[in-house]
């Protein structure tokens, strides 16, 4: 017990706070960004008219706004309620909340901030140097700052180019698909959805891995359009778990085409660029292998368990369409959360697989090699634990707490409606919100044990049937999930063995 | 991708195997020990007569034997089926499988092995020294070996003394309680259970944290005997998560009473003694605080959610009895798994809390300080990853796989009997088996949606209604859980951020 007070005494408050400060400010700026955009989105959706002019209640609108900004696509309102203009608002929210956009803006701001404060930083670095007596790190930082400035600018342009190209090409492809394939055209015409709005909305939603689709039944309406599904699958991957791979490939292509030495510098000194999505070639390789491995694994499990699904999720599809549909479904389970099948008609074993996959963060990598970068990182971190870290729990503990809280807020329904309100469905919803996925078991009046004659089936998620408290907790879970990169390493003070 | 082949080339097969070899042999010796005892137990239970001479089937007997040896107390047979002699066999199995006994025997064997092979070890240490060029560690080891020999012997005696004293005193206390309190006496008399057998069986079962009780309804029959519950709570803690604390306190007491300097040497050089349950004073302190904290936390949750339970789990109890019952229940959720209430009558929120608590290994500690011991350990481990480690998953991944497999084996029942066969109940059963706890939701004919008139309620666990395949998987889970100290650090090659 001797070490605790000593540890605290040895570290005066200022030096304790100095190290975590950048992390804390990044955390707060991200949090305030997401909340501000959500509130603006709420205002915009509230002030504009819905299609049938019956406005949903405020909590549900706020929920939808947070769901779009946190790219979760958890839903408590049917999508066809929204007018064309509102769909464009949601498109904007999803675009502003998407990780590629947020990280690009963050990179730009930190670049400008660096430039403006370069002198300040040099001074402060020197003062730290004098205080602590270490000199190597700070001088090196200053050198790198000046040498990589032009590279930062190029990288910044590449990120913007990547973002606009993928979204532009995607929207065009979907638009062309719709006007050429009669079935897709008919679906949209019958629902009165603007073709162009649909193309842009779906592309942005899929690239950001949000997963909203302007139709009530999400992609189920397009389950026999394998071409459309394949376009969306590529968007899911390029904007989601394979973004670092796509970015690196784009830089490699630029290096080859233009021959500029800056591109090669960027590729080589990826960690000095200060962009967290720019990973080493090795890590990108393993990331791609892991992502593909998880998709293939899921595809095998999904096909073997659901190929002959008796609940009719595949009605009227030929084997090729079933295969593409399965591929689409399992690709979406990691992050995007679009769906060609009714999740509640899937067997529990598959649902548990989905829960696991939704929990895995996008850049989960099987990385059997400790390269220098990681070793040195963990080394530096091990030396000292911040006080803040000491009182945090692991991700899973927080999720367990959220699940327990929702089991408490929905206590009566768990008892009276035990086939809809199962702990599995609540877990699926919470992990789906945490993973910013958007899968939901939904709710079915048929499954009620005590039949309520006023019950009406609807095309929104299970959370739509929850109490206001439960929905509010889920809003917190979505924001917590969107910020998970900041809490990934929490809970270290707990020793499980 | 460059590093992988290099890594393999740099480490010739011999040196790759040298480091993990002691771990591998410890793993195999433990595994073979548990399987051998389980098979012997199966033979003994098979050959002896049950009380009503109708023998349960072989799989169920083997399941019970594994359950006793792995100190899980998962049940597929009602306990009152077993005759007095069979109860004594199960007592022996639990005693032989308990962690305190197993670790004591392991310590003795390693002591003798050290003594016999001291010369060998010195030679091999020298050859390693010459090969690798490092000398400090091996010479130190040899010095310590000779200096701590007498201490090892003392420690060994202390462990045996601790084991026998706690079990002896516990059995006596329970026996005295039974013969003096009329209600407890009546229960056992009406069931025809021998008082002495009950006392020894329950003490051994509780001290090893197994959790079998000779009555069908486990401790529910004694829910209004707070005295008995308090005796058992102390046994649960002394033999379970507070064993290192108890052992250290016993050594400290011995040091004070006898004044021998060896005791102080043991306390100071705890890590050199080579006994994994002998922890530092600091760790023991935090372990005790964590264990108490978790009990208090659970007690608050359990009481606030279940104090007014409507399913009648507290029928006929006064507030004091309810409080002690609650304390007993939450103390048992960590490891022992004895129960004074019907688990299926508890609200889902509490069940999720139990699932989390059952998952936590016994020595879970909130340890905000990295003392030298831990830092140096993790340092040494970080330097090199063994090839074996690379292809393992984390504990939770294995558990998810087991849950998915059982959802597949019990697929039909999940569909046709959705109120008994819920994923929560399966998860509870799997985590309970993995944590070697023994809680089970049971099975209720009343909850069947399609009523099966041949269904009979019975006093065994939910697993008793599973298919043979499902039971077999659960046997594997119990053994996997009993060996969890070997797989605790697996899955390190996966990077989640
Ligand atoms: K999503
Ligand atoms: K147990």
């Amino acid at each position: 017990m001797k070490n605790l007070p000593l540890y605290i005494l040895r570290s005066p408050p200022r030096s304790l706070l100095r190290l975590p400060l950048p992390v804390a400010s990044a955390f707060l700026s991200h949090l305030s960004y997401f909340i501000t955009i959500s509130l603006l989105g709420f205002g915009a959706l509230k002030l504009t008219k819905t299609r049938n002019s019956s406005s949903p209640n405020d909590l549900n609108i706020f929920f939808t706004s947070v769901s779009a900004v946190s790219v979760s696509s958890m839903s408590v309102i049917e999508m066809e309620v929204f007018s064309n203009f509102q769909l464009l608002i949601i498109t904007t929210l999803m675009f502003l909340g998407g990780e590629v956009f947020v990280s690009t803006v963050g990179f730009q701001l930190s670049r400008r901030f660096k430039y403006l404060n370069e002198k300040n930083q040099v001074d402060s670095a020197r003062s730290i140097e004098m205080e602590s007596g270490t000199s190597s790190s700070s001088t090196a930082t200053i050198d790198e700052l000046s040498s990589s400035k032009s590279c930062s600018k190029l990288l910044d342009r590449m990120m913007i180019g990547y973002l606009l190209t993928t979204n532009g090409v995607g929207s065009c492809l979907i638009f062309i698909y719709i006007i050429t394939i009669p079935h897709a055209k008919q679906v949209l015409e019958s629902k009165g959805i603007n073709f162009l709005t649909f193309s842009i909305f779906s592309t942005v939603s899929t690239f950001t891995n949000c997963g909203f689709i302007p139709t009530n039944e999400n992609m189920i309406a397009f389950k026999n359009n394998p071409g459309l599904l394949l376009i969306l699958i590529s968007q899911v991957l390029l904007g989601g778990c394979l973004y670092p791979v796509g970015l690196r490939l784009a830089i490699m292509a630029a290096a080859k085409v233009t021959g500029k030495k800056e591109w090669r510098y960027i590729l080589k000194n990826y960690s000095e660029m200060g962009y967290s999505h720019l990973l080493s070639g090795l890590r990108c390789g393993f990331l791609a292998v892991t992502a593909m491995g998880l998709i293939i694994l899921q595809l095998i499990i999904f096909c073997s368990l659901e190929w002959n699904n008796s609940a009719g999720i595949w009605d009227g599809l030929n084997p090729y369409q079933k295969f593409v549909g399965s591929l689409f479904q399992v690709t979406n389970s990691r992050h995007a959360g679009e769906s060609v099948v009714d999740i509640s008609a899937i067997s529990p074993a598959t649902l548990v697989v989905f829960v696991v996959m939704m929990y895995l963060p996008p850049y989960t990598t099987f990385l059997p090699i400790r390269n220098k970068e990681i070793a040195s990182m963990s080394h530096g971190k091990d030396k000292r634990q911040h006080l803040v870290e000491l009182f945090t729990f692991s991700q899973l503990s927080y999720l367990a707490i959220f699940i327990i809280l929702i089991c408490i807020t929905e206590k009566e329904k768990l008892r009276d409606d035990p086939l809809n309100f199962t702990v599995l469905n609540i877990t699926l919803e919470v992990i789906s919100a945490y993973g910013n996925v958007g899968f939901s078991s939904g709710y079915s009046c048929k499954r009620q044990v005590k039949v309520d004659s006023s019950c009406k089936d609807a095309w929104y998620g299970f959370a739509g049937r929850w109490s206001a408290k439960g929905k509010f907790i889920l809003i917190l879970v979505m924001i917590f999930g969107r910020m998970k990169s900041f809490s990934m390493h929490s809970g270290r003070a707990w020793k499980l063995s």
Side-chain angles (χ1 to χ4, degrees), chain A residues 71-73 209-211 335-337 435-438:
Chain A
V71 295
S72 304
S73 81
N209 277 215
C210 181
H335 215 55
N436 301 127
V437 178

Coordinates of all heavy atoms in Angstrom, one line a residue, chain A residues 71-73 209-211 335-337 435-438, ligand 1:
Chain A
V71 N -23.2 8.2 -37.4 CA -23.3 7.2 -38.4 C -23.7 5.8 -37.9 O -23.2 4.8 -38.3 CB -21.9 7.1 -39.2 CG1 -21.7 8.3 -40.0 CG2 -20.8 6.7 -38.3
S72 N -24.8 5.8 -37.1 CA -25.2 4.6 -36.5 C -26.4 4.0 -37.3 O -26.5 2.8 -37.4 CB -25.7 4.8 -35.1 OG -24.7 5.3 -34.3
S73 N -27.3 4.8 -37.8 CA -28.5 4.3 -38.4 C -29.5 3.5 -37.6 O -30.2 2.7 -38.1 CB -28.2 3.6 -39.8 OG -27.9 2.3 -39.6
N209 N -20.6 4.6 -43.8 CA -21.0 3.5 -43.0 C -22.1 3.8 -42.1 O -22.1 3.2 -41.0 CB -19.8 2.9 -42.3 CG -18.9 1.9 -43.2 OD1 -18.4 0.9 -42.7 ND2 -18.8 2.2 -44.5
C210 N -22.9 4.8 -42.5 CA -24.1 5.1 -41.6 C -25.1 4.0 -41.8 O -25.4 3.2 -40.8 CB -24.6 6.4 -41.9 SG -26.1 6.8 -40.9
G211 N -25.7 3.9 -43.0 CA -26.6 2.7 -43.2 C -28.0 3.1 -43.3 O -28.9 2.2 -43.5
H335 N -20.1 -2.8 -39.7 CA -20.1 -1.3 -39.4 C -21.3 -0.6 -40.1 O -21.9 0.3 -39.5 CB -18.8 -0.7 -39.9 CG -18.4 0.4 -39.0 ND1 -18.3 0.3 -37.6 CD2 -18.1 1.7 -39.2 CE1 -17.9 1.4 -37.1 NE2 -17.8 2.3 -38.0
A336 N -21.6 -0.9 -41.3 CA -22.6 -0.1 -42.1 C -24.0 -0.3 -41.6 O -24.8 0.6 -41.5 CB -22.4 -0.3 -43.5
G337 N -24.4 -1.6 -41.4 CA -25.7 -1.9 -40.9 C -26.9 -1.8 -41.9 O -28.0 -1.7 -41.4
G435 N -21.4 -0.1 -31.7 CA -20.5 -0.3 -32.9 C -20.9 0.7 -34.1 O -20.4 0.6 -35.1
N436 N -21.9 1.5 -33.8 CA -22.4 2.4 -34.9 C -22.8 1.6 -36.1 O -22.5 2.0 -37.2 CB -21.4 3.5 -35.2 CG -21.1 4.4 -34.0 OD1 -19.9 4.5 -33.7 ND2 -22.1 4.9 -33.3
V437 N -23.5 0.5 -35.9 CA -23.8 -0.4 -37.0 C -25.3 -0.1 -37.5 O -25.5 0.4 -38.6 CB -23.7 -1.8 -36.6 CG1 -24.1 -2.7 -37.7 CG2 -22.3 -2.2 -36.2
G438 N -26.2 -0.3 -36.6 CA -27.6 0.0 -37.0 C -28.5 -1.2 -37.2 O -29.7 -1.1 -37.6
Ligands
LIG1 K1 -23.9 2.2 -39.3

